[in-house]
Amino acid sequence: SDGGLAVAAAEMALAAGTGVALEADPALPAAAWFFGEDQGRYLVACARASLDRVVAIAAAAGVPARAVGATGGDRIALGASAAAFSELRVAHRDGFARLMGEA
């Protein structure tokens, strides 16, 4: 997604109607981890019960994979920072109209 991991996860959460919490990667600056755009990274959502199997299938195919967060709740969190899901839904839905003076 344009906007990296954070935007991809937020778009998926908004479409699914649920919150999401992403973990920070201590080896990278937060901005690079959450917002870096890399064509070699993909975000896959799966049931928690399927996580080990998904990671194992990826490893067997030579594709590095790991958990980066979890879905659920009423907020979208990036590491220690969070915003209410309901507020982000309104901003996502109405932001362009407000920008154009139509709200």
Side-chain angles (χ1 to χ4, degrees), residues 7-21 71-72 75-76 85 89:
V7 174
E11 288 173 344
M12 291 169 72
L14 288 166
T18 188
V20 64
T71 58
R75 61 193 188 117
I76 294 180
F85 181 82
R89 178 179 290 287

Side-chain angles (χ1 to χ4, degrees), residues 18-101:
T18 188
V20 64
L22 298 178
E23 301 164 2
D25 184 331
L28 295 171
W33 174 248
F34 290 123
F35 299 103
E37 297 177 10
D38 185 338
Q39 297 303 313
R41 293 193 309 175
Y42 293 87
L43 181 61
V44 177
C46 68
R48 186 176 306 266
S50 300
L51 177 60
D52 290 340
R53 184 164 185 258
V54 169
V55 171
I57 290 169
V63 177
R66 66 178 178 142
V68 296
T71 58
D74 61 356
R75 61 193 188 117
I76 294 180
L78 307 178
S81 299
F85 181 82
S86 59
E87 292 176 18
L88 292 174
R89 178 179 290 287
V90 170
H92 182 258
R93 183 190 64 217
D94 301 340
F96 188 71
R98 279 197 310 255
L99 179 67
M100 301 306 289

